[in-house]
Amino acid sequence: MRRLALASMVGTSLEWYEFVIYNSMAALIFNKLFFPSFDPIVGTILAFSTYAVGYVSRPIGGIIFGRLGDKVGRRAVLVYTLALMGIATLTMGLLPTYGSIGIAAPLLLVGLRTVQGIALGGEWAGAILLSVEHGKPQNRGLNASWTQVGPSAGTLLAAGAIAITTTLLNEADFLSWGWRLPFLASTVLVFFGFWIRWSVEETPHFHQLQAGHATTKAPIAEVLRNHWRNLLVAGSVRIGSDVVYGLLAVFTLTYVTQKLGLSRTLALTAVLIGAGVHAVSVPLLAALSDRIGRRTVYGLGALASILGSFVLFGLFDTKSPGIIIAAVSVGMVFQAAMFGPQGAFVTEQFPTRVRYTGSSLAYTFAGVLGGGFAPLIFATLLREYPDTYAIPFYVTGALVITLIALLAATEKAGREID
């Protein structure tokens, strides 16, 4: 199980490392490198629009790789998605800027973000299923949570890489070439991911399907025809948690550096510590959901996040480093109460023969509605309403959708799911 947990976590850690590197650069300097003709806030909005492309393209990956995962197996698909993400990120680190090739630079950036989104859209469900379908029903929440540790572990690695780079390099060197280093460093993680994933076996659930010749020929049609209600519940429950994560892990960088005028080091340190707290909290709260139920833990996290969103910017506005770091860390615990049980909750909604497809579709389409546009909407609301009072209401609206989905769901913690 330890090897399976690592195999589940390493891919999402890598892919979120690469994803967060872009997010951080979009918040810090991409407005200057790829959109220099606009004022800083507008340039940031455009950079986050490119960030949103990575979410909009996820359903393509969910459709392509979800279908393959239910037809040819979980493990093989996870190797494909890992390779695709690694190639796209390495290329992004070598990309010429607007000053070198003009309008082609942001267009190439959009293309690479599309490839990253496709890869991540096919990654998540397979990584979850690798551990869920090997493990025991009573530990399903904990087993699935190792994939959910990936985003915070990736955020931790990414923030650390950027913090080291910005500390060692001066402003001019970082802007000129130093920003490329964290992208290029991802090749080490790619090779490690290949090694660990080839060392695990296909899941017993999928082997049983193959042995009984029970794999589906048209998984997407089967999900839409027979499991549309579960798809709606599984997708809707993700929206609020994605918005909250975008607020804490991405928009914090923009607000602290551009609105408050504080240092990049402080903003990155807050996200770095918050990600560490999140990485520890996710498996603990997921294990709790195995005992008291997914809906209970998830719902408490959503309610706490609603309250937290209304005090977050007031705490940031104190400009106290300790308070800013504490605010992000506590917010990450609230988000982990949703994120920890989420992997098990989503995959529990579908039977084995369409579990990869159903989970992928729920994950990717919810990501577009939730996390994909969240930083863009935050930046736009900040530009239109500088007092920030509109942002908590947007966060609350997204979390209300999550709470409604939880009420409509059936609790399946500890039960057989076939």
Side-chain angles (χ1 to χ4, degrees), residues 241 244 248 277-278 281 285 297-309 311 326-341 399:
S241 68
V244 173
L248 296 169
V277 172
H278 191 263
S281 301
L285 291 166
V297 177
Y298 213 125
L300 289 174
L303 292 173
S305 295
I306 289 175
L307 296 175
S309 69
V311 302
V328 173
S329 298
V330 173
M332 283 294 198
V333 174
F334 296 160
Q335 201 277 344
M338 297 181 283
F339 210 60
L399 288 166

Side-chain angles (χ1 to χ4, degrees), residues 55-56 58-59 62 121 124 230-244 298 342 346 358-374 394 398 401-402 405:
Y55 273 88
V56 173
R58 283 188 188 185
W124 183 82
N230 295 40
L231 180 64
L232 188 61
V233 167
S236 298
V237 81
R238 280 184 43 84
I239 291 175
S241 68
D242 278 8
V243 169
V244 173
Y298 213 125
Q342 188 179 95
V346 170
S359 301
S360 292
L361 293 177
Y363 171 78
T364 56
F365 281 100
V368 173
L369 297 175
F373 291 101
Y394 166 60
I401 295 173
T402 289

Side-chain angles (χ1 to χ4, degrees), residues 86-125:
I87 292 170
T89 305
L90 177 63
T91 306
M92 192 174 290
L94 301 172
L95 193 65
T97 62
Y98 188 94
S100 300
I101 59 174
I103 192 65
L107 292 178
L108 288 171
L109 189 65
V110 170
L112 291 172
R113 289 295 296 153
T114 301
V115 173
Q116 283 184 322
I118 290 172
L120 190 56
E123 160 73 23
W124 183 82

Side-chain angles (χ1 to χ4, degrees), residues 60-416:
I60 301 173
I63 291 169
I64 295 172
F65 293 113
R67 183 175 181 274
L68 285 174
D70 283 326
K71 290 175 70 67
V72 304
R74 297 13 176 163
R75 189 185 71 165
V77 171
L78 290 176
V79 173
Y80 303 153
T81 58
L82 195 66
L84 196 61
M85 176 65 85
I87 292 170
T89 305
L90 177 63
T91 306
M92 192 174 290
L94 301 172
L95 193 65
T97 62
Y98 188 94
S100 300
I101 59 174
I103 192 65
L107 292 178
L108 288 171
L109 189 65
V110 170
L112 291 172
R113 289 295 296 153
T114 301
V115 173
Q116 283 184 322
I118 290 172
L120 190 56
E123 160 73 23
W124 183 82
I128 294 283
L129 296 184
L130 200 63
S131 55
V132 163
E133 292 184 348
H134 273 286
K136 298 177 181 178
Q138 61 268 30
N139 296 329
R140 200 159 49 232
L142 176 61
N143 292 341
S145 72
W146 298 116
T147 302
Q148 299 295 79
V149 173
S152 52
T155 300
L156 195 65
L157 292 171
I162 296 172
I164 292 171
T165 305
T166 55
T167 300
L168 296 178
L169 299 178
N170 59 41
E171 182 78 17
D173 287 341
F174 180 73
L175 194 63
S176 174
W177 55 269
W179 64 270
R180 301 179 184 276
L181 298 180
F183 287 103
L184 301 178
S186 67
T187 54
V188 176
L189 297 175
V190 171
F191 285 113
F192 178 73
F194 277 132
W195 174 72
I196 192 66
R197 283 193 169 171
W198 276 119
S199 69
V200 300
E201 298 179 359
E202 182 58 81
T203 72
H205 284 216
F206 189 78
H207 275 316
Q208 289 173 6
L209 284 180
Q210 287 183 313
H213 303 287
T215 55
T216 178
K217 295 182 178 180
I220 297 174
E222 187 171 332
V223 168
L224 296 178
R225 182 176 61 248
N226 299 331
H227 306 285
W228 62 268
R229 185 181 183 278
N230 295 40
L231 180 64
L232 188 61
V233 167
S236 298
V237 81
R238 280 184 43 84
I239 291 175
S241 68
D242 278 8
V243 169
V244 173
Y245 196 82
L247 175 66
L248 296 169
V250 181
F251 189 67
T252 292
L253 298 172
T254 299
Y255 189 81
V256 170
T257 58
Q258 295 190 21
K259 179 66 175 178
L260 300 182
L262 301 176
S263 69
R264 282 199 302 260
T265 301
L266 171 59
L268 289 167
T269 299
V271 172
L272 186 68
I273 294 175
V277 172
H278 191 263
V280 174
S281 301
V282 162
L284 294 176
L285 291 166
L288 181 63
S289 78
D290 283 326
R291 294 179 175 273
I292 67 174
R294 317 270 185 250
R295 296 197 307 169
T296 300
V297 177
Y298 213 125
L300 289 174
L303 292 173
S305 295
I306 289 175
L307 296 175
S309 69
F310 281 95
V311 302
L312 182 68
F313 291 103
L315 296 173
F316 283 173
D317 289 344
T318 65
K319 297 188 178 182
S320 167
I323 292 177
I324 291 172
I325 292 170
V328 173
S329 298
V330 173
M332 283 294 198
V333 174
F334 296 160
Q335 201 277 344
M338 297 181 283
F339 210 60
Q342 188 179 95
F345 180 91
V346 170
T347 55
E348 285 169 345
Q349 307 306 310
F350 305 98
T352 301
R353 58 187 277 116
V354 294
R355 188 170 294 134
Y356 204 133
T357 299
S359 301
S360 292
L361 293 177
Y363 171 78
T364 56
F365 281 100
V368 173
L369 297 175
F373 291 101
L376 172 62
I377 293 172
F378 292 145
T380 303
L381 290 175
L382 180 63
R383 185 168 182 263
E384 296 297 325
Y385 307 99
D387 291 334
T388 70
Y389 62 84
I391 294 176
F393 285 102
Y394 166 60
V395 174
T396 298
L399 288 166
V400 166
I401 295 173
T402 289
L403 289 168
I404 292 172
L406 286 173
L407 292 174
T410 301
E411 180 64 69
K412 295 185 178 181
R415 304 179 187 177
E416 291 290 347

